[in-house]
Amino acid sequence: MAHQQYQELLETLHECMEECNHCFDACLKEDDVKMMAECIRLDRECADICSYLEQAISRNSPYVSELASVCAKICEDCGNECKKHDHDHCQKCADACFKCAEACKKVA
Amino acid sequence: MAHQQYQELLETLHECMEECNHCFDACLKEDDVKMMAECIRLDRECADICSYLEQAISRNSPYVSELASVCAKICEDCGNECKKHDHDHCQKCADACFKCAEACKKVA
Amino acid sequence: MAHQQYQELLETLHECMEECNHCFDACLKEDDVKMMAECIRLDRECADICSYLEQAISRNSPYVSELASVCAKICEDCGNECKKHDHDHCQKCADACFKCAEACKKVA
Amino acid sequence: MAHQQYQELLETLHECMEECNHCFDACLKEDDVKMMAECIRLDRECADICSYLEQAISRNSPYVSELASVCAKICEDCGNECKKHDHDHCQKCADACFKCAEACKKVA
């Protein structure tokens, strides 16, 4: 992976992890938590795999491509779920997830 | 840490991680998810730190004692929250958390 | 995944994580650390993905199959590297890795 | 934690995680790996706790203060070990570790 592509991907993953965790926290504080259950579940899945991939990339793991492929799928699913909800934190999270899914596909 | 104590602690942490993650999943499927919000939050906190400490112990980390001290506190809080709820998964999780808190305190 | 298969896989992953981290620690204490460099690198890769998959399975993640596929590959590579070295910790680690690779393939 | 302090800490942790993992990878490629063994060990400890704390902060964990206290100690130890070695990756890593230790102490 070229150095610039690597730096951009790390930043994109970091932003996605942040938005997913912020969305996770905010969903748990909403009035209708039940409606957000799938969002809460996928926010955790997505934050965890983004965080994992950040570490894998920065330690020069031989498995970046395989992990990025899984990450792209999880980001896409999480983005699609968040997109359904009008909350600001969900919409911002969806944007970060779709951007991250695209970036992951390029190295997958 | 003596070898037997180490093996017992690893097993206790593993069980606690499993129960917390099972409780996290089950809480998200309950009818009244809102009532379980704090339980969902603490289940994730507790599963993550138990999993982290399992790895730290098994790689002979120099920081087992400090991490076990944080883990004991999180296990205790998670156990106290789970204890409030009648669901089977919460009661089983509370038991695993309290057992793990005690085990962690011995190495903290 | 059937409950028994799930429990067996969790145990197999946990043993593999333990052996990989023990091998990581032991390799760093060997006289010829340079010869163990690839083993050290793969031990970390393998312990981390096994630990990650343990959590994913126990929280009923929708991505167990994809993650198990990546885990199987990493376990196999780590087992093949460890197999080359005569140290007890390497041979035990190789066995745990190959067993775990097989178990992961069944759910991948 | 005020929003700006939070953003700065997240960025500092992320940089430290990156430098530690880069140093881990580079140490494994050095001619004299044996001399770098403690550096390799602490790079992993430090990258892992920084990554963990990034997630904890961004999900609004109730345990940021306790975790930051452990993280500060690990960063300091890793910085002190890296500082001993002339390699560029070690010197850059030491700087990132000391900066991160200071940032963590402020929220501990």
Side-chain angles (χ1 to χ4, degrees):
Chain A
M1 206 182 330
H3 188 70
Q4 203 192 338
Q5 191 187 9
Y6 166 108
Q7 280 302 329
E8 277 176 22
L9 180 51
L10 275 181
E11 205 163 310
T12 305
L13 285 161
H14 183 77
E15 276 164 29
C16 189
M17 179 276 284
E18 259 196 82
E19 291 299 338
C20 286
N21 275 324
H22 176 62
C23 189
F24 175 89
D25 172 47
C27 284
L28 285 172
K29 291 171 179 162
E30 289 292 342
D31 284 334
D32 192 348
V33 188
K34 190 167 181 54
M35 194 177 66
M36 312 312 297
E38 198 58 18
C39 202
I40 292 166
R41 183 187 297 278
L42 290 174
D43 281 339
R44 184 182 177 191
E45 294 291 329
C46 198
D48 281 3
I49 195 72
C50 286
S51 172
Y52 193 93
L53 184 51
E54 280 182 64
Q55 284 233 64
I57 292 170
S58 60
R59 74 177 171 243
N60 195 19
S61 163
Y63 306 103
V64 166
S65 167
E66 291 87 344
L67 291 163
S69 164
V70 182
C71 192
K73 187 181 177 183
I74 299 177
C75 286
E76 214 158 66
D77 290 354
C78 188
N80 284 327
E81 176 61 31
C82 282
K83 203 71 195 165
K84 296 179 196 166
H85 306 284
D86 286 337
H87 308 302
D88 252 23
H89 55 83
C90 288
Q91 292 296 313
K92 283 185 68 180
C93 189
D95 289 347
C97 287
F98 291 137
K99 187 181 165 192
C100 195
E102 288 314 304
C104 285
K105 277 178 202 166
K106 283 181 197 156
V107 298
Chain B
M1 206 182 327
H3 188 70
Q4 202 193 340
Q5 190 186 10
Y6 164 108
Q7 280 303 330
E8 278 177 21
L9 181 51
L10 275 181
E11 205 165 310
T12 305
L13 285 161
H14 183 77
E15 277 165 29
C16 188
M17 179 276 284
E18 259 195 83
E19 292 298 338
C20 286
N21 275 325
H22 176 62
C23 189
F24 175 89
D25 173 46
C27 283
L28 285 172
K29 292 170 178 163
E30 290 291 343
D31 284 335
D32 191 348
V33 189
K34 191 169 181 53
M35 193 176 68
M36 311 313 297
E38 197 58 15
C39 202
I40 293 165
R41 182 188 296 279
L42 290 173
D43 281 338
R44 184 182 177 191
E45 293 291 329
C46 197
D48 282 3
I49 195 73
C50 286
S51 173
Y52 192 93
L53 184 52
E54 280 183 64
Q55 284 234 63
I57 291 170
S58 59
R59 75 178 171 243
N60 196 18
S61 162
Y63 306 103
V64 167
S65 166
E66 289 88 343
L67 291 164
S69 163
V70 182
C71 192
K73 186 180 177 184
I74 298 177
C75 286
E76 214 159 66
D77 290 354
C78 188
N80 284 326
E81 176 60 29
C82 283
K83 203 72 195 164
K84 295 179 195 166
H85 306 284
D86 285 337
H87 308 302
D88 252 22
H89 56 82
C90 288
Q91 292 295 314
K92 282 185 68 179
C93 188
D95 289 347
C97 287
F98 291 138
K99 188 181 164 191
C100 196
E102 288 315 303
C104 285
K105 277 179 201 164
K106 283 180 195 155
V107 299
Chain C
M1 205 182 329
H3 188 70
Q4 203 193 339
Q5 190 186 10
Y6 165 107
Q7 279 303 329
E8 278 176 21
L9 181 51
L10 275 181
E11 206 164 309
T12 305
L13 285 161
H14 183 76
E15 276 164 30
C16 189
M17 179 276 285
E18 258 195 83
E19 292 298 340
C20 286
N21 275 325
H22 176 62
C23 190
F24 175 90
D25 173 47
C27 283
L28 286 172
K29 292 170 178 162
E30 291 292 344
D31 283 334
D32 192 349
V33 188
K34 190 166 181 55
M35 193 177 68
M36 312 313 297
E38 199 57 17
C39 202
I40 292 165
R41 183 188 296 277
L42 290 174
D43 281 339
R44 184 182 178 190
E45 293 292 328
C46 198
D48 282 4
I49 195 72
C50 286
S51 173
Y52 193 93
L53 184 50
E54 281 183 64
Q55 284 233 63
I57 291 170
S58 60
R59 74 178 172 243
N60 196 19
S61 163
Y63 306 103
V64 166
S65 166
E66 289 88 342
L67 291 163
S69 163
V70 182
C71 192
K73 186 180 178 183
I74 298 177
C75 286
E76 215 158 65
D77 290 354
C78 188
N80 284 327
E81 176 60 30
C82 283
K83 203 71 194 165
K84 296 179 196 166
H85 306 285
D86 285 337
H87 309 302
D88 253 23
H89 55 83
C90 288
Q91 292 296 315
K92 284 184 68 179
C93 189
D95 290 346
C97 287
F98 291 137
K99 187 180 166 192
C100 196
E102 287 314 303
C104 285
K105 276 177 202 165
K106 284 182 195 154
V107 299
Chain D
M1 207 184 327
H3 188 71
Q4 202 193 340
Q5 190 186 9
Y6 165 107
Q7 279 303 331
E8 278 176 20
L9 181 51
L10 275 181
E11 204 164 310
T12 304
L13 285 161
H14 183 77
E15 276 165 29
C16 188
M17 179 276 284
E18 259 196 81
E19 292 298 340
C20 286
N21 275 324
H22 176 62
C23 189
F24 175 90
D25 172 48
C27 284
L28 286 172
K29 292 170 178 163
E30 290 292 344
D31 283 335
D32 190 349
V33 188
K34 191 167 180 56
M35 193 177 68
M36 312 312 298
E38 197 58 18
C39 202
I40 292 165
R41 182 187 298 278
L42 290 173
D43 281 339
R44 184 182 177 190
E45 294 291 328
C46 198
D48 282 4
I49 196 73
C50 286
S51 173
Y52 193 93
L53 184 52
E54 280 183 64
Q55 284 233 64
I57 292 170
S58 60
R59 74 176 171 242
N60 196 19
S61 162
Y63 306 103
V64 167
S65 166
E66 289 87 344
L67 292 163
S69 163
V70 182
C71 192
K73 186 180 178 184
I74 299 176
C75 286
E76 215 158 66
D77 290 354
C78 189
N80 284 327
E81 176 61 30
C82 283
K83 203 71 194 165
K84 296 179 195 166
H85 306 285
D86 285 337
H87 308 303
D88 252 24
H89 55 82
C90 288
Q91 292 296 314
K92 281 185 70 178
C93 189
D95 289 347
C97 287
F98 291 138
K99 187 180 165 192
C100 196
E102 288 314 304
C104 285
K105 277 179 202 165
K106 283 181 194 155
V107 298

